[in-house]
Amino acid sequence: MELWPCLAAALLLLLLLVQLSRAAEFYAKVALYCALCFTVSAVASLVCLLRHGGRTVENMSIIGWFVRSFKYFYGLRFEVRDPRRLQEARPCVIVSNHQSILDMMGLMEVLPERCVQIAKRELLFLGPVGLIMYLGGVFFINRQRSSTAMTVMADLGERMVRENLKVWIYPEGTRNDNGDLLPFKKGAFYLAVQAQVPIVPVVYSSFSSFYNTKKKFFTSVTVQVLEAIPTSGLTAADVPALVDTCHRAMRTTFLHISKTPQENGATAGSGVQPAQ
């Protein structure tokens, strides 16, 4: 049997399944997202190299342009509230909740100028995805070696002030889709205190109404930028209280904009528990 008729039949079968099955459509969109990430990363890497010649935070504007186009493949809508709070021309540490591999689309919707991310070192080895992250100035941390991670953070604290950089960090430390926020790790807050720069919380609404692995659908997401939390005059001794303040504010906002019942029976905005 010839190859092309088989491929055509397989494609027609896939299209039929997508039309008839929500699950098939969902997984097809997830596969499309992964394919877009690898394809666009390869193309964007070439553009970044031609435009800027190598690794620089200026490449993030090129990456953002490509990634923001993803939403048109999915018919998604991002409602961004108070984005101006991210646009002030000053260094800051931006912290946000982290729910899935799709977070990158929401991040690029609000990413301010001269903003870099911190990511786990393993992502550097994801072919063109790792390359485009490197070219965009992403700082990679080996989470298995705390001494190395601390050195990177110390260097970053000096650079963000010297080069007027904003740094985006996911303080939960891992993806979380349980309908609530995980306790925050303290690295982002030590960085902000060390550099004496404000913390700007960014909250994405629950992906249970956007990217639901159980009900198999995509819809839309709300992004809320909160007021900056100053760190001027604070020391390392103030970090635990700073973590608690930020976690409370972000969790209250998360429950409010998500409007989803929690596992313990509480509804959005009905109460706030401190970070552990």
Side-chain angles (χ1 to χ4, degrees):
M1 183 179 294
E2 294 185 8
L3 177 61
W4 288 112
C6 291
L7 290 177
L11 179 59
L12 288 174
L13 178 60
L14 177 60
L15 292 174
L16 179 61
L17 286 173
V18 166
Q19 294 297 317
L20 297 178
S21 168
R22 173 180 287 179
E25 179 182 7
F26 175 82
Y27 289 119
K29 287 183 175 181
V30 172
L32 173 62
Y33 177 79
C34 295
L36 283 172
C37 285
F38 278 86
T39 303
V40 167
S41 292
V43 175
S45 294
L46 179 60
V47 175
C48 289
L49 288 170
L50 292 174
R51 181 72 175 83
H52 295 122
R55 176 178 169 87
T56 171
V57 67
E58 304 300 333
N59 283 327
M60 289 308 302
S61 61
I62 297 172
I63 299 168
W65 184 87
F66 277 100
V67 174
R68 285 192 296 274
S69 68
F70 286 15
K71 62 179 177 285
Y72 300 114
F73 291 91
Y74 295 90
L76 296 177
R77 181 176 62 87
F78 289 91
E79 179 189 354
V80 182
R81 301 176 181 176
D82 300 310
R84 67 185 185 283
R85 293 172 175 169
L86 285 174
Q87 303 305 323
E88 295 188 31
R90 61 179 180 182
C92 65
V93 173
I94 304 168
V95 295
S96 69
N97 54 319
H98 187 23
Q99 299 181 71
S100 87
I101 59 173
L102 301 179
D103 283 347
M104 184 176 64
M105 284 196 288
L107 182 151
M108 292 302 176
E109 285 292 315
V110 297
L111 190 76
E113 294 183 357
R114 300 197 60 76
C115 182
V116 297
Q117 296 86 54
I118 291 181
K120 59 185 179 181
R121 183 172 176 269
E122 291 84 350
L123 296 177
L124 180 59
F125 305 104
L126 283 181
V129 174
L131 175 60
I132 195 61
M133 293 176 71
Y134 172 81
L135 291 174
V138 171
F139 283 82
F140 296 96
I141 288 182
N142 187 346
R143 296 187 298 184
Q144 306 303 318
R145 300 182 62 181
S146 58
S147 60
T148 303
M150 291 174 64
T151 299
V152 172
M153 295 292 275
D155 176 64
L156 182 55
E158 296 177 0
R159 288 190 59 182
M160 66 187 300
V161 174
R162 184 174 67 248
E163 301 177 19
N164 190 29
L165 297 176
K166 296 177 172 66
V167 179
W168 193 298
I169 302 177
Y170 297 111
E172 291 172 288
T174 188
R175 292 194 294 265
N176 164 42
D177 61 355
N178 69 0
D180 206 337
L181 300 188
L182 295 174
F184 287 171
K185 298 182 182 300
K186 297 177 181 178
F189 304 91
Y190 278 115
L191 175 63
V193 168
Q194 171 196 331
Q196 293 289 282
V197 299
I199 296 169
V200 181
V202 175
V203 183
Y204 297 93
S205 60
S206 173
F207 280 10
S208 65
S209 61
F210 162 59
Y211 169 72
N212 194 310
T213 57
K214 294 181 179 179
K215 296 183 179 179
K216 307 295 187 295
F217 63 75
F218 291 78
T219 52
S220 62
V221 66
T222 299
V223 185
Q224 175 69 62
V225 183
L226 304 185
E227 291 278 2
I229 301 173
T231 65
S232 180
L234 299 184
T235 68
D238 299 304
V239 166
L242 185 63
V243 173
D244 187 65
T245 297
C246 187
H247 190 279
R248 285 175 178 269
M250 290 180 66
R251 185 170 187 264
T252 298
T253 301
F254 176 78
L255 296 178
H256 175 70
I257 65 177
S258 298
K259 296 182 175 61
T260 55
Q262 305 302 297
E263 291 182 358
N264 62 6
T267 56
S270 63
V272 178
Q273 299 298 322
Q276 301 298 317

